[in-house]
């Protein structure tokens, strides 16, 4: 076969058989791996869901740096499938805005054509990865305000729920965010959701102006405490409006600027309007809303008069000083409603000194420490660095201890904290008065309050077990179990106690059901007992705590209510 000349070969290649039969691509597809490429400002857009909605506080410094040095760190870009424009992938929206300003001012091509690193859009979970990437990147460069982080986390929650097709708990949301590169604690998420739901509609200017997390936490704490107090009083006298409306109306009036915002004035106005609508005194509401949790404390009366009368429940012999700190740290629950036009910066009378004295006399966190946690300064330093990175404050036992035990039970001696015992109660007589009252209230659930008698000996009460006058409308096995429990707690510490008229040992098997309940619902019969109510169970725990303190005091053991004298036994 003769060898083809170059001309012949070219003519054959140009024949119709070698022509393109398919469609001609108008544009190249995006790379499938990380690729450097030059894009123009016309082709690039900021990320639509960027958590930052206010001006970056470092905007001017970054702009000056780019003008002098050029763009040292070009932003990473990506593109959704089928979209005509590229978007910032995970941080860089501020730099893009600066480049647009510099291009408008100078018309310099270095600000118009940018060498960027393109990263493919994830085939799955692209929106979630983009949003969490922007959240993490913004934290490292300039930081976000509290409300901006809160809105970003809320948007991430919506994406996760859309992905799963079901609602997401706060704990699960925290876990998912950590997996996707934005670690944040569940309590922090709870505060964020409170701010978005209850504060943002009323004070957007203050929040977007940069109101800090400590003030936001105090404000949400005030709202929760006031809402609980409102619900208690609204049952007796339903007001004309509901609490959410009242809170929004009060808070909206203070939406000025973060520097002028005064939590004390908000609290004062809120309590004042609540007092008018509920018909309750300002002082009582202030005491009930206070952050210390010492609410509804009965005023004292002499113990001897109380013990002499078994028909009337004993009152607290010596109540704690009423210097209960309000939600902004002040210690004056009896403070009268201040003039709205008064200067919020005016000093109060000896407030700081009162607070200092109160903290010296009354230190609840020490009462929560069952056993100290061994750690090292190095571990603490690492934890602080991690906390600063994720925007979470280091653990503060003094502030978090009341939150760690969110138990509140009403009664003659309301319980806001099972474990802590105030110094003013740490005497045998006072402890016995409280123990006897809790025993009476527990027995009252079985209609057997008259079976409990105060006592100046033992742990403060005696329990008789004759059922001749017990309320017959209550299940008798329940009465037996309650009295058996109270008898077992008090009898070993009573001297010359007459023998029980009932063999309590036969009721021991009912104690488990008394404390825990039946395995199956709706099967209560006359032969079966019912369980103690939740409020009764909390009172039982408090009774045991006070009894342990009483026995320690009378045995001369050190520690009392503040430190665990028998922690070596594994408690």
């Amino acid at each position: 076969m003769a060898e083809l000349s170059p001309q012949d070969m070219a003519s054959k290649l140009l024949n119709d058989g070698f022509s393109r039969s398919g469609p001609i691509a108008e544009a190249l597809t995006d790379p499938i791996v990380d690729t450097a490429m030059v894009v123009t400002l016309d082709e690039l857009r900021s990320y639509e869901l960027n958590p930052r909605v206010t001006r970056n506080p470092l905007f001017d410094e970054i702009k000056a740096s780019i003008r002098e040095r050029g763009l040292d760190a070009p932003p990473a870009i990506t593109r959704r499938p089928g979209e005509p424009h590229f978007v910032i992938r995970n941080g860089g929206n501020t730099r893009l805005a600066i480049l647009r300003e510099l291009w408008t001012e100078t018309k310099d091509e270095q600000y118009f054509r940018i060498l960027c690193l393109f990263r493919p859009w994830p085939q799955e979970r692209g929106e979630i990865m983009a949003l969490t990437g922007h959240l993490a990147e913004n934290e490292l460069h300039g930081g976000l305000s509290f409300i901006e982080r809160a809105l970003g986390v809320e948007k991430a929650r919506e994406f996760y729920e859309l992905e799963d097709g079901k609602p997401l708990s706060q704990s699960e949301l925290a876990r998912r965010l950590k997996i996707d590169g934005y670690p944040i604690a569940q309590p922090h998420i709870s505060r964020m959701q409170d701010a978005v739901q209850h504060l943002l509609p009323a004070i957007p200017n203050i929040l977007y102006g940069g109101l800090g997390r400590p003030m936001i936490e105090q404000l949400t704490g005030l709202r929760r405490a006031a809402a609980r107090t409102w619900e208690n009083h609204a049952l007796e006298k339903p007001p004309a409006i509901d609490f959410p409306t009242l809170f929004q109306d009060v808070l909206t009036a203070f939406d000025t600027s973060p520097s002028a915002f005064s939590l004390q004035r908000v609290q004062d106005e809120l309590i004042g309007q609540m007092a008018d609508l509920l018909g309750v005194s300002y002082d009582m509401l202030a005491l009930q809303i206070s952050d210390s949790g010492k609410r509804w404390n009965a005023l004292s009366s002499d113990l001897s008069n109380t013990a002499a009368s078994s028909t009337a429940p004993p009152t607290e012999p010596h109540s704690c000083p009423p210097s209960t700190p309000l939600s902004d740290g002040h210690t004056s629950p009896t403070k009268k409603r201040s003039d709205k036009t008064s200067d919020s910066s005016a000093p109060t009378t000896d407030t700081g000194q009162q607070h200092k004295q109160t903290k010296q006399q009354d230190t609840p966190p020490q009462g929560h420490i069952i056993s100290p946690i061994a750690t090292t300064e190095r571990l603490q330093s690492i934890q602080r660095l991690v906390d600063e990175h994720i925007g979470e404050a280091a653990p503060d036992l003094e502030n978090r201890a009341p939150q760690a035990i969110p138990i509140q039970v009403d009664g003659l001696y309301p319980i806001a904290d099972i474990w802590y015992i105030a110094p003013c109660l740490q005497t045998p007589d006072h402890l016995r008065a409280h123990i006897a009252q809790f025993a009476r209230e527990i027995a009252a659930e079985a209609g057997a309050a008259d079976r409990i008698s105060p006592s100046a000996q033992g742990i403060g009460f005696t329990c008789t077990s004759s059922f001749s006058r017990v309320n017959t409308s209550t299940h008798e096995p329940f009465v037996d179990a309650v009295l058996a429990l109270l008898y077992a707690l008090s009898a070993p510490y009573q001297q010359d106690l007459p023998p029980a008229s009932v063999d309590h040992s036969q009721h021991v098997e009912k104690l488990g059901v008394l404390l825990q309940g039946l395995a199956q619902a709706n099967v209560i019969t006359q032969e079966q007992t019912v369980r103690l109510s939740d409020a009764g169970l909390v009172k039982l725990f408090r009774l045991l705590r006070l009894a342990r303190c009483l026995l320690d005091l009378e045995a001369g053991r050190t520690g009392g209510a503040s430190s665990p004298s028998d922690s070596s036994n594994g408690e």
Side-chain angles (χ1 to χ4, degrees):
M1 182 178 179
E3 185 177 352
L4 293 176
S5 64
Q7 292 79 8
D8 293 336
M9 185 178 296
S11 64
K12 287 182 177 290
L13 291 174
L14 292 175
N15 287 338
D16 293 340
F18 287 92
S19 62
R20 180 183 295 272
S21 58
I24 299 176
E26 297 180 359
L28 296 176
T29 59
D30 290 336
I32 60 174
V33 296
D34 291 2
T35 305
M37 62 171 58
V38 176
V39 296
T40 65
L41 293 181
D42 293 337
E43 299 173 307
L44 188 56
R45 298 285 186 271
S46 60
Y47 179 58
E48 302 87 344
L49 300 178
N50 181 28
R52 185 186 301 282
V53 295
T54 58
R55 182 183 175 90
N56 190 326
L58 301 178
F59 188 95
D60 293 334
E61 289 85 345
I62 298 174
K63 182 177 180 179
S65 175
I66 293 177
R67 180 186 288 113
E68 296 296 329
R69 299 168 48 85
L71 189 61
D72 290 337
I77 63 175
T78 187
R79 178 156 56 183
R80 297 181 180 90
E83 290 286 330
H85 297 98
F86 297 96
V87 295
I88 300 296
R89 185 178 186 274
N90 56 353
N93 296 282
T94 296
R95 282 169 281 171
L96 178 58
I98 290 172
L99 289 173
R100 294 189 186 281
E101 282 193 9
L102 291 174
W103 164 247
T104 302
E105 295 170 2
T106 66
K107 298 302 181 181
D108 191 333
E109 282 289 323
Q110 68 169 321
Y111 304 131
F112 184 72
R113 300 183 185 277
I114 317 162
L115 177 63
C116 297
L117 177 64
F118 174 85
R119 290 184 173 177
W121 182 266
Q123 294 298 323
E124 297 180 358
R125 312 182 70 247
E127 295 293 350
I128 293 176
M129 298 305 297
L131 178 58
T132 54
H134 278 273
L135 281 168
E137 195 70 19
N138 275 299
E139 288 291 345
L140 297 176
H141 299 89
L144 295 171
S145 67
F146 183 93
I147 195 61
E148 287 174 330
R149 287 197 302 271
L151 290 170
V153 169
E154 184 67 13
K155 191 63 179 180
R157 180 189 62 79
E158 293 178 8
F159 282 142
Y160 286 127
E161 291 183 348
L162 185 63
E163 181 181 47
D164 294 350
K166 61 180 180 180
L168 212 62
S169 67
Q170 293 178 358
S171 299
E172 180 63 14
L173 176 58
R175 188 186 70 83
R176 300 282 288 274
L177 287 170
K178 181 178 181 181
I179 293 174
D180 289 332
Y182 187 63
I184 186 170
Q186 179 273 324
H188 199 34
I189 292 177
S190 176
R191 290 187 286 268
M192 287 178 167
Q193 292 184 352
D194 280 349
V196 171
Q197 180 179 357
H198 302 292
L199 305 186
L200 184 58
I203 51 172
N205 294 326
I206 290 180
L207 292 177
Y208 285 122
L211 188 67
R213 172 182 163 186
M215 185 65 72
I216 291 176
E217 290 180 358
Q218 293 183 54
L219 192 54
T220 55
L222 170 64
R223 186 200 65 80
R224 287 191 295 266
R228 288 193 296 266
T229 303
W230 176 277
E231 291 173 0
N232 292 337
H233 290 284
L235 296 176
E236 303 174 0
K237 180 184 177 182
I241 63 174
D242 57 6
F243 179 79
T245 302
L246 171 65
F247 184 78
Q248 294 287 319
D249 290 345
V250 169
L251 201 56
T252 300
F254 296 90
D255 188 24
T256 54
S257 66
S259 60
F261 184 75
S262 171
L263 180 64
Q264 178 61 38
R265 295 184 64 190
V266 173
Q267 178 175 275
D268 185 53
E269 180 65 23
L270 178 62
I271 296 176
Q273 293 200 25
M274 289 176 61
D276 294 340
L277 292 169
L278 296 173
V280 182
S281 71
Y282 179 99
D283 293 345
M284 179 179 293
L285 291 178
L287 182 62
Q288 295 171 16
I289 295 175
S290 63
D291 280 349
S292 69
K294 297 174 183 176
R295 303 166 30 183
W296 299 87
N297 285 337
L299 297 178
S300 63
S301 64
D302 188 74
L303 177 65
S304 58
N305 294 335
T306 302
S309 174
S310 60
T311 57
T315 56
E316 185 174 347
H318 297 284
S319 62
C320 295
S323 56
T324 308
L326 300 179
S327 61
D328 63 343
H330 292 272
T331 57
S332 180
T334 57
K335 175 183 178 299
K336 300 301 180 182
R337 186 177 179 184
S338 61
D339 187 359
K340 300 178 185 178
T341 61
S342 64
D343 185 2
S344 63
S345 62
T348 57
T349 59
D350 251 349
T351 300
Q353 184 65 22
Q354 293 176 15
H355 184 62
K356 181 177 179 181
Q357 294 176 354
T358 302
K359 287 182 68 63
Q360 291 176 348
Q361 298 173 359
D362 194 7
T363 55
Q366 296 301 318
H368 291 279
I369 300 175
I370 306 302
S371 60
I373 300 174
T375 185
T376 64
E377 181 61 31
R378 175 177 172 80
L379 289 176
Q380 293 176 3
S381 299
I382 294 174
Q383 183 61 51
R384 282 193 294 269
L385 290 175
V386 174
D387 292 336
E388 292 175 0
H389 174 68
I390 66 176
E392 182 72 20
D396 183 357
L397 181 60
E398 180 173 351
N399 293 327
R400 295 180 64 176
Q403 301 173 10
I405 309 180
I407 296 173
Q408 294 186 353
V409 170
D410 203 359
L412 183 60
Y413 301 137
I415 301 173
D417 186 338
I418 290 176
W419 189 256
Y420 172 66
I421 303 175
C424 61
L425 299 181
Q426 294 181 32
T427 64
D429 289 345
H430 296 171
L431 290 170
R432 284 191 175 95
H434 279 247
I435 292 170
Q437 178 60 24
F438 288 134
R440 178 188 293 273
E441 292 177 6
I442 293 170
E445 292 195 9
D450 57 345
R451 303 300 92 198
I452 305 299
S453 300
S455 173
Q457 299 178 355
I459 63 170
F461 71 93
T462 59
C463 176
T464 56
S465 51
S466 172
F467 303 127
S468 59
R469 290 185 295 159
V470 170
N471 186 355
T472 57
S473 64
T474 308
H475 292 297
E476 185 172 297
F478 178 54
V479 180
D480 295 347
V482 170
L483 293 179
L485 174 62
L486 295 175
Y487 181 86
L489 293 176
S490 60
Y493 307 100
Q494 291 289 336
Q495 299 178 357
D496 303 326
L497 186 70
S501 58
V502 174
D503 181 9
H504 290 288
S505 62
Q506 63 180 321
H507 304 299
V508 172
E509 70 277 4
K510 298 185 176 67
L511 294 182
V513 179
L514 173 68
L515 300 177
Q516 300 169 162
L518 297 168
Q520 299 178 355
N522 301 325
V523 293
I524 299 174
T525 68
Q526 290 295 332
E527 289 73 27
Q528 294 172 311
T529 184
V530 293
R531 74 177 182 181
L532 206 60
S533 70
D534 291 343
L537 187 63
V538 173
K539 292 174 182 177
L540 176 61
F541 290 156
R542 182 62 172 171
L543 184 155
L544 294 172
R545 170 62 176 147
L546 297 178
R548 288 160 61 99
C549 177
L550 171 63
L551 296 175
D552 284 348
L553 288 174
E554 295 204 322
R557 290 189 285 265
T558 59
S562 298
S563 61
S565 59
D566 47 357
S567 60
S568 60
N569 295 327
E571 296 187 6

